[in-house]
Amino acid sequence: ETGVTQTPRHLVMGMTNKKSLKCEQHLGHNAMYWYKQSAKKPLELMFVYSLEERVENNSVPSRFSPECPNSSHLFLHLHTLQPEDSALYLCASSQDREQPQHFGDGTRLSIL
Amino acid sequence: GQNIDQPTEMTATEGAIVQINCTYQTSGFNGLFWYQQHAGEAPTFLSYNVLDGLEEKGRFSSFLSRSKGYSYLLLKELQMKDSASYLCAVSRSGTASKLTFGTGTRLQVTL
């Protein structure tokens, strides 16, 4: 059971498409995160939002654009992606940045 | 920079005890997390160690030695459902939001 919900669970898109990943947390947390998980690689932190303000951007290419309209929702807008962007994208939230993070089930993204 | 090492794979028998090690090198170390991740599912929080010593939580225990840059996760009375990846993650002082993960240890529990 998770209080962090991600949609869609699976996404296949071409390199010229534009799509968005959605994350919603029902835990009343103030911080939200996007991670990328590729096979045989560590989880890579992409973005951190605290109280709807982006506090960290981990040198992520501009073809990934995050949006946090409120403390419960986080989006990752995708455009002109590359095949190497195929991965599992995980969203997480925490009460504040000192507390353990709770993860969603992720979106499995495949770029054709 | 930071460096986190943990074994890639381990195999253990149902009912046994297994210890998964994690070593790290980082400046400004704050604490160490362990997460469990079943295939195709979200990582779930297991433990967080800030101080040296052993913390026990049911069948799972986690140990930290700050001076040695070393932690382990101990799983007792292994069950088939414990087959999963176990992720070690380090947080740094002042940047607690930024967790740096190891590559994870894939544990296979056999009969």
Side-chain angles (χ1 to χ4, degrees):
Chain A
E1 181 184 345
T2 175
V4 181
T5 305
Q6 290 187 244
T7 55
R9 290 295 308 276
H10 302 273
L11 178 62
V12 180
M13 57 187 282
M15 289 192 285
T16 57
N17 292 156
K18 289 184 181 181
K19 296 285 184 183
S20 296
L21 309 185
K22 180 182 175 182
C23 176
E24 184 173 359
Q25 57 99 357
H26 313 280
L27 302 168
H29 288 168
N30 293 316
M32 296 187 77
Y33 313 79
W34 278 117
Y35 286 88
K36 177 183 179 182
Q37 188 173 35
S38 303
K40 299 186 180 179
K41 283 185 163 183
L43 270 168
E44 301 171 53
L45 180 66
M46 300 174 73
F47 301 104
V48 180
Y49 277 82
S50 178
L51 297 172
E52 301 151 45
E53 179 184 345
R54 189 192 311 182
V55 296
E56 190 148 345
N57 176 344
N58 236 19
S59 303
V60 179
S62 59
R63 56 186 184 268
F64 294 91
S65 175
E67 179 190 1
C68 187
N70 55 62
S71 59
S72 299
H73 293 85
L74 186 66
F75 294 90
L76 187 62
H77 303 300
L78 316 171
H79 64 97
T80 325
L81 294 192
Q82 304 299 309
E84 62 265 27
D85 297 324
S86 297
L88 180 68
Y89 288 84
L90 289 162
C91 173
S93 71
S94 60
Q95 181 60 46
D96 56 50
R97 290 189 283 163
E98 305 290 329
Q99 298 300 315
Q101 296 174 21
H102 296 253
F103 286 82
D105 285 334
T107 295
R108 175 70 62 186
L109 177 65
S110 298
I111 306 300
L112 301 179
Chain B
Q2 298 180 71
N3 192 33
I4 300 174
D5 288 314
Q6 50 181 136
T8 305
E9 292 185 353
M10 298 183 72
T11 302
T13 307
E14 190 178 33
I17 299 173
V18 71
Q19 178 174 311
I20 302 174
N21 296 325
C22 174
T23 58
Y24 61 88
Q25 294 173 311
T26 187
S27 56
F29 175 81
N30 189 57
L32 190 142
F33 291 85
W34 282 98
Y35 283 85
Q36 179 192 60
Q37 186 177 23
H38 286 99
E41 296 183 14
T44 55
F45 169 75
L46 290 177
S47 65
Y48 180 43
N49 292 67
V50 176
L51 302 176
D52 285 355
L54 184 69
E55 294 203 6
E56 298 186 65
K57 209 185 272 188
R59 293 190 299 114
F60 292 9
S61 302
S62 56
F63 171 84
L64 176 67
S65 169
R66 296 175 68 107
S67 61
K68 294 182 180 178
Y70 168 66
S71 172
Y72 67 73
L73 181 68
L74 192 70
L75 292 76
K76 302 176 186 176
E77 301 169 18
L78 278 174
Q79 302 174 10
M80 299 299 288
K81 67 178 182 179
D82 297 328
S83 294
S85 288
Y86 291 86
L87 312 178
C88 169
V90 168
S91 69
R92 299 171 63 191
S93 299
T95 60
S97 64
K98 185 171 181 176
L99 290 185
T100 301
F101 283 83
T103 52
T105 298
R106 193 177 207 176
L107 174 66
Q108 181 70 43
V109 179
T110 60
L111 292 171

